[in-house]
Structure formats: structure tokens, C-alpha cells
């Protein structure tokens, strides 16, 4: 490449435009990288979604698609886990980091060529790992527990992806620092960017954990060293579970953003919301230990401290956000005149806007199904009756899918006009999509949790173990629960296909939105707390309803625990 071409490329990176809707100045380099990472994420969502359908149709006994081919079941289960939990989520989060550090701050992207290098490493690593999985060289599932052994390239691909993501996270921090030096913000970053900073801090520890986990596993797969299974498990969950905490911080940041973009809501108390994010940084990763509560190599004191006292501080952070966001929406709605009764503000909310419906459904499903069961799983005694049942993936489908993925979908409907400068194709379909997806997930999660409650195991293609020396039997209610799960999977796959179809059609065929050079007129993110005096009776009713449900979940689990060893 000639020096003139390099100079031209660098000049293009600093070209910017002003969004006529938000007033944000968007640099070309940031625009391209946000769009590319987001589109790549959707591609991996498609792969993971197809795998999800095949796995679900296998776990549904009436269909039993791959029950006679367990090797394919484990292959597709591995592909589903890697593509959904790692590649779809983290590629989208990298797009979010660039959006939150460059576009939200009206700043340029630092070292865009290094950002493309990071993208290449991430894409290359994800591609290598997927090739190994589909070639049958990595049928080890998402957790890839030792002594299960995959091809060395499976581990190398994961390492490359983690290193590329670490570079992207480092660039995010550089963007924020340079934006400060160039006067893009004065006192503190907007709350949305602060939330992404939280996600980036957690991501740094998480991705380093991935390197620490998979580098020894790589050399072990080559036969060059030994690897203790307990050490591997402990190290793995610094990546496996902590990666979902990146999602949590990013998801909550997007909740605040969607609340503002759809209703004009501002945080009830911005300082308190920032404090809640800090609690995530300090304590959220301690919840990873709940995957190890049955492991004999870890002390009881370590388990109790991490899953009880320390984890509750992270739960406190989530409780603060769960109150602040709906309270902000209620205050904003009441300011528009929706003051009749306790819930007129909620009835008159923009439910036909996919951004708002995604926000509301994500919060409800995440809180009532994901949050409550997460605390239950973190309770050492309750964990023993849930461990390795289908209720465990039911829990993380409530968090990562119903919570994070649904929130990411809602944001996409605004990124396409803002970043890709294309109008949405099928706006009525887009308004319907979050509801279809959420209804499917509700059935899927309820079916998985009910089946797990009845003892149905996870990670098996056939729950009866037909052909084995001992055949397992389950009550008819377990089969009903799995049928609900299967129907929910079908509906949610339809909802996911609607999202991908709308996104692809909009990018390829959406009407082009012309660029504008008008000066900024609107701030696109909340930068100050809500007014000091406000009324929010509806939010209080919602919060206390959630607390009552939370208590009910813990009581029911304690009653079930009491039946394990009955006293006569």
C-alpha cells in the first residue's frame, strides 16, 4: 500500500457527520467499526439460533431429533453455546463499547487501524473454533471440562478471540481518555458510557481469565503438559460465568439508554446508579463460584463467602437499577400528563416502539425469572437440588437471552437508522418482534425450570437413557414441561428469525437516510439526575410485587430443600 493511500485512509477515519435526529457527531471510522461488529454479531446469532433449534427439538422427547445421534447433539450444543454466549454477545458488546466511547461522547475513535486488527483477531479466532466444532474436533460443550479434549486449534481459536477482544477493550479505555483530553466532556462521562466502562473493566478480568484458562489447555491438548481438572474448572468459570457479567453491565447501560430514547426518562439518582455499577465491578464476579459448589476441592468458607455475603452486594446493585429505571420512566410519563391513577403512565407508554417493548420485556423477564433464580442458585444448599438439572440452563436463558439478547435487539432498531443510515424495513413487524420473542422465551424458560424442578438432567440427548443398563423414569408432568419448552423454543426461534430478517432487509434494502451537517441540537444520553421532587406510586407497586415474588421463590425452594432429607 502506498503512502498516499495510507494518508487517504487516515483522513477518511477523521471524516465526520452530524446525525440530524440526535445531534451526535459521528466519525466515519467509529461508524464503520460499530456497524461491522454489530453485523458480525448477528451472523453468529444466526448460527447459534439454528443450533438452538436443533438442540431444542432433541430435548423435546416427542420429537427427539438427535436422540439417536448423541455425537451430533453434543456438537450442536457446543456450537450453540460458543456462538450465543461468546461470539454473538461479545461482538455486539464491542460495537457497544465503540458506540459508548466515540459516538456518545462526540469523539473520534483512537487508532481505528488497531481496532480493525482486533476485529480480525476476533473473527479469525471465532472462525477457527467453529470450524473445529463442525469438523467434530471439539465436541466438548461450552465448558469444555478437562479431561474432555478438543483439537488444539479449538483452544487456539478461543485464545485469539480473547486477545482480539482485549485489544478492543483497551481501545475503548483509550477513546474515553482521549475524549477527556480533547474536551469532549468535562466533569464525568454520561451514565451510559459509565455503564460501558463497568462492562469493560469486568471484560478485562474476564478475558484475561480466558487466556489463563485456555493457554494451559492448548498446551495440554498438544500433550506437552498435564492439567488438573479442578484447577481448570476454577479458572474456566472466571471466563464462563464472568462473561455473562459483562453482558449484565452492558444490558443495564442499554436499559438506561432505551428508557431515555423512548420516553425521555432520566435516572432517578445518577450518583446512586453509578454506585450500583461500582458494586458490579467489586462483587459481581464472585457469583461465578455457584458453578463450583459441589466441587470437593474448594473450602466451605470460600463457597459461603462468595455465594452469600459478598454476592448480595452485587444483587443490591441490580436492585438499585431495577428501581431507578422504571421510576425514571414513570416520572417522564407523568410529566407528559399521564397522571391518572397508579398506572396510566404505564398504559400510555410507547408499547408499539420496539425499543420500549424490548426494554420492558427484558427487565421483567430478567428480573422475575433470571434474577430470582440466580440468587437461589447462589445459595449453597438450594444449589444442590438444582445442580446439573435443566433448571440451570433455564436460569441463564432468562438472563443472557431474555435479558441481554432482547435488550440488544431493542437497541439495534435505533442503531440501524443512526449508524447505517437506513430506514427500518417492516416497521410493523419490528413492533411485533419483541413480543413474539419474549412469549417464546417465557414458555421455553418456564418449561426448562419446571422440568429441572422435576429432576430432568441437562446435557443429555435422551432423558430416558434408552439402551443403558439402567433406564431413568420421570413423571408425566416432566414430559408436559418439556413440551412447553419445545413449543417455546419454536416460537422464540421465529422471533429471532424476525429480528435477523428485519435487520438484514433494512441494511440491504432500507431507504437511505441522507447525512446532515446541521449543528448538534439534542443530547442523546441523560447527563443529569431527574428532578428532586417526584411521585412514582406505580414503580413502588411494581417493586414491592417483585420483592413478594422473590420471597415466594426462596420460600418454595426452601420447602423443596426440606423434602430432600425428611425428619421422621
Amino acid at each position: 500500500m502506498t503512502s498516499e493511500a495510507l494518508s487517504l485512509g487516515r483522513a477518511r477515519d477523521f471524516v465526520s457527520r452530524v446525525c440530524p435526529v440526535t445531534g451526535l457527531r459521528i466519525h466515519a471510522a467509529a461508524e464503520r467499526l460499530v456497524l461491522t461488529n454489530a453485523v458480525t454479531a448477528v451472523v453468529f446469532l444466526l448460527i447459534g439460533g439454528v443450533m438452538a433449534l436443533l438442540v431444542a427439538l432433541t430435548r423435546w422427547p416427542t420429537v427427539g431429533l438427535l436422540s439417536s445421534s448423541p455425537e451430533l447433539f453434543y456438537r450442536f450444543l457446543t456450537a450453540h453455546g460458543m456462538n450465543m454466549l461468546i461470539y454473538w454477545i461479545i461482538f455486539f458488546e464491542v460495537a457497544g463499547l465503540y458506540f459508548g466511547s466515540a459516538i456518545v461522547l462526540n469523539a473520534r475513535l483512537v487508532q481505528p487501524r488497531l481496532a480493525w486488527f482486533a476485529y480480525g483477531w476476533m473473527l479469525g479466532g471465532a472462525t477457527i473454533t467453529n470450524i473445529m466444532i463442525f469438523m467434530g474436533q471439539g465436541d466438548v460443550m461450552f465448558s469444555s471440562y478437562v479431561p474432555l479434549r478438543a483439537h488444539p486449534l479449538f483452544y487456539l481459536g478461543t485464545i485469539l478471540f480473547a486477545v482480539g477482544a482485549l485489544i478492543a477493550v483497551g481501545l475503548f479505555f483509550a477513546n474515553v481518555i482521549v475524549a477527556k483530553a480533547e474536551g469532549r466532556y468535562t466533569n464525568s462521562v454520561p451514565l451510559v458510557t459509565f455503564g460501558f466502562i463497568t462492562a469493560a473493566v469486568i471484560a478485562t478480568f474476564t478475558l484475561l481469565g480466558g487466556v489463563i484458562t485456555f493457554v494451559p489447555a492448548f498446551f495440554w491438548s498438544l500433550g506437552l503438559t498435564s492439567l488438573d481438572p479442578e484447577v481448570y474448572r476454577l479458572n474456566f468459570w472466571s471466563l464462563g460465568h464472568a462473561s455473562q457479567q459483562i453482558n449484565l453491565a452492558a444490558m443495564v447501560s442499554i436499559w438506561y439508554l432505551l428508557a431515555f430514547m423512548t420516553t425521555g426518562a432520566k435516572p432517578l439518582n445518577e450518583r446512586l446508579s453509578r454506585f450500583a455499577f461500582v458494586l458490579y465491578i467489586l462483587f459481581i464476579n464472585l457469583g461465578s463460584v455457584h458453578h463450583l459448589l459441589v466441587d470437593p476441592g474448594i473450602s466451605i468458607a470460600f463457597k459461603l463467602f462468595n455465594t452469600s455475603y459478598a454476592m448480595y452486594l452485587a444483587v443490591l446493585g441490580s436492585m438499585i437499577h431495577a428501581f431507578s429505571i422504571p421510576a425514571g420512566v414513570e416520572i417522564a410519563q407523568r410529566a407528559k400528563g399521564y397522571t391518572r391513577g397508579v398506572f396510566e403512565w404505564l398504559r400510555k407508554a410507547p408499547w408499539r416502539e420496539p425499543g420500549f417493548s424490548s426494554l420492558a420485556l427484558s427487565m421483567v423477564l430478567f428480573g422475575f425469572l433470571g434474577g430470582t433464580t440466580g440468587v437461589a442458585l447462589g445459595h449453597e444448599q438450594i444449589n444442590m437440588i438444582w445442580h446439573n438439572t435443566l433448571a440451570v440452563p433455564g436460569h441463564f436463558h432468562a438472563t443472557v437471552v431474555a435479558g441481554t439478547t432482547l435488550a440488544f435487539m431493542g437497541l439495534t432498531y435505533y442503531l440501524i437508522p443512526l449508524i447505517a443510515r437506513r430506514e427500518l424495513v417492516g416497521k410493523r413487524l419490528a413492533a411485533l418482534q419483541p413480543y413474539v420473542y419474549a412469549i417464546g422465551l417465557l414458555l421455553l424458560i418456564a418449561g426448562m425450570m419446571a422440568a429441572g424442578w422435576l429432576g430432568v438432567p441437562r446435557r443429555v440427548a435422551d432423558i430416558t437413557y434408552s439402551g443403558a443398563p439402567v433406564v431413568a423414569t420421570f413423571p408425566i408432568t416432566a414430559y408436559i414441561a418439556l413440551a412447553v419448552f419445545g413449543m417455546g423454543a419454536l416460537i422464540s426461534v421465529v422471533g429471532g428469525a424476525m429480528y435477523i430478517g428485519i435487520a438484514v432487509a433494512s441494511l440491504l434494502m432500507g431507504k437511505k437516510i441522507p447525512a446532515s451537517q446541521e449543528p448538534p441540537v439534542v443530547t442523546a444520553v441523560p447527563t443529569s439526575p431527574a428532578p428532586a421532587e417526584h411521585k412514582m406510586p406505580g414503580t413502588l407497586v411494581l417493586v414491592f410485587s417483585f420483592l413478594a415474588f422473590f420471597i415466594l421463590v426462596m420460600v418454595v425452594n426452601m420447602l423443596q430443600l426440606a423434602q430432600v432429607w425428611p425428619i421422621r
Side-chain angles (χ1 to χ4, degrees), residues 160-173:
L160 292 176
F161 179 85
V163 172
L166 271 172
I167 295 172
V169 171
L171 286 172
F172 165 79
F173 288 121

Side-chain angles (χ1 to χ4, degrees), residues 84-268:
M84 293 297 239
L85 291 173
I86 299 294
Y87 304 139
W88 143 248
I89 293 288
I90 294 183
F91 268 111
F92 199 96
E93 284 165 350
V94 168
L97 292 179
Y98 293 147
F99 178 83
S101 61
I103 295 174
V104 169
L105 297 180
N106 277 315
R108 64 185 177 89
L109 190 67
V110 176
Q111 294 294 330
R113 294 185 180 277
L114 186 57
W116 284 112
F117 178 78
Y119 170 77
W121 273 54
M122 292 173 64
L123 181 60
T127 302
I128 290 171
T129 301
N130 266 296
I131 289 173
M132 289 299 101
I133 293 172
F134 287 112
M135 287 180 62
Q137 300 296 312
D139 299 342
V140 292
M141 296 176 290
F142 169 70
S143 54
S144 55
Y145 283 151
V146 173
L148 295 175
R149 190 190 302 264
H151 191 280
L153 289 179
F154 173 91
Y155 303 102
L156 181 61
T158 307
I159 294 167
L160 292 176
F161 179 85
V163 172
L166 271 172
I167 295 172
V169 171
L171 286 172
F172 165 79
F173 288 121
N175 294 339
V176 175
I177 293 170
V178 170
K180 175 71 172 180
E182 294 181 349
R184 298 300 180 180
Y185 62 95
T186 52
N187 296 324
S188 60
V189 296
L191 181 61
V192 172
T193 303
F194 189 87
F196 279 119
I197 290 174
T198 301
V201 171
I202 298 172
T204 302
F205 291 104
T206 301
L207 294 168
L208 286 174
V211 173
I212 292 170
T213 302
F214 282 95
V215 168
F218 171 67
F219 288 109
W220 167 76
S221 69
L222 291 170
L224 299 178
T225 184
S226 61
L227 190 59
D228 182 86
E230 185 63 46
V231 172
Y232 176 87
R233 282 169 59 85
L234 181 63
N235 288 336
F236 173 80
W237 287 113
S238 67
L239 165 72
H241 191 272
S243 61
Q244 313 319 314
Q245 312 310 338
I246 310 172
N247 309 340
L248 175 63
M251 174 190 70
V252 173
S253 302
I254 290 172
W255 283 352
Y256 280 107
L257 182 59
L258 289 176
F260 177 79
M261 296 178 76
T262 56
T263 67
K266 295 182 178 181
L268 185 64

Side-chain angles (χ1 to χ4, degrees), residues 102 107 239 324 345 361 370 450 453 526 530 541:
L239 165 72
S324 178
W345 64 275
L361 295 169
W453 182 278
V541 172

Side-chain angles (χ1 to χ4, degrees), residues 59 61 67 456-457 460-474 479 482:
R59 295 307 310 265
S67 58
V456 173
V460 295
D462 179 10
I463 66 171
T464 65
Y465 298 95
S466 58
V470 178
V471 179
T473 58
F474 295 93
Y479 290 90
L482 289 171

Side-chain angles (χ1 to χ4, degrees), residues 456-537:
V456 173
R458 59 185 297 203
R459 294 176 173 149
V460 295
D462 179 10
I463 66 171
T464 65
Y465 298 95
S466 58
V470 178
V471 179
T473 58
F474 295 93
I476 187 63
T477 48
Y479 290 90
I480 295 173
L482 289 171
V484 172
F485 152 74
M487 290 184 287
L490 292 176
I491 296 171
S492 61
V493 165
V494 171
M498 291 169 63
Y499 163 76
I500 294 172
I502 293 166
V504 172
S506 299
L507 291 172
L508 296 179
M509 298 180 291
K511 183 179 178 182
K512 188 74 174 179
I513 300 174
S516 171
Q517 296 300 323
E518 298 175 3
V521 292
V522 180
T523 300
V525 291
T527 57
S528 59
E533 295 183 3
H534 37 250
K535 294 181 179 180
M536 45 191 174

Side-chain angles (χ1 to χ4, degrees), residues 408-450:
F408 286 4
M409 288 176 171
L411 181 61
T412 302
Y413 294 120
Y414 296 96
L415 288 181
I416 290 174
L418 176 63
I419 304 300
R421 283 180 284 168
R422 297 279 184 177
E423 291 185 3
L424 286 180
V425 171
K427 293 182 180 180
R428 291 185 178 180
L429 201 61
L432 181 64
Q433 183 270 327
Y435 296 101
V436 175
Y437 195 62
I439 291 171
L441 288 175
L442 177 61
L443 295 174
L444 179 146
I445 294 163
M448 292 178 102
M449 289 184 174

Side-chain angles (χ1 to χ4, degrees), residues 209-329:
V211 173
I212 292 170
T213 302
F214 282 95
V215 168
F218 171 67
F219 288 109
W220 167 76
S221 69
L222 291 170
L224 299 178
T225 184
S226 61
L227 190 59
D228 182 86
E230 185 63 46
V231 172
Y232 176 87
R233 282 169 59 85
L234 181 63
N235 288 336
F236 173 80
W237 287 113
S238 67
L239 165 72
H241 191 272
S243 61
Q244 313 319 314
Q245 312 310 338
I246 310 172
N247 309 340
L248 175 63
M251 174 190 70
V252 173
S253 302
I254 290 172
W255 283 352
Y256 280 107
L257 182 59
L258 289 176
F260 177 79
M261 296 178 76
T262 56
T263 67
K266 295 182 178 181
L268 185 64
N269 185 310
E270 190 167 322
R271 289 184 179 180
L272 187 60
S273 295
R274 291 173 189 265
F275 172 70
F277 278 121
V278 173
L279 289 177
Y280 282 167
I281 293 175
L282 296 176
F283 301 107
I284 195 68
N285 277 343
L286 300 177
S288 304
V289 176
H290 83 245
H291 293 278
L292 307 171
L293 290 179
V294 299
D295 288 28
I298 299 175
S299 70
I300 295 297
F302 179 80
K303 295 175 182 179
L304 286 176
F305 176 79
N306 283 276
T307 59
S308 297
Y309 306 104
M311 191 184 72
Y312 295 154
L313 294 172
V315 174
L316 174 62
S318 294
M319 294 292 191
I320 292 171
H321 295 310
F323 180 77
S324 178
I325 296 172
V329 171

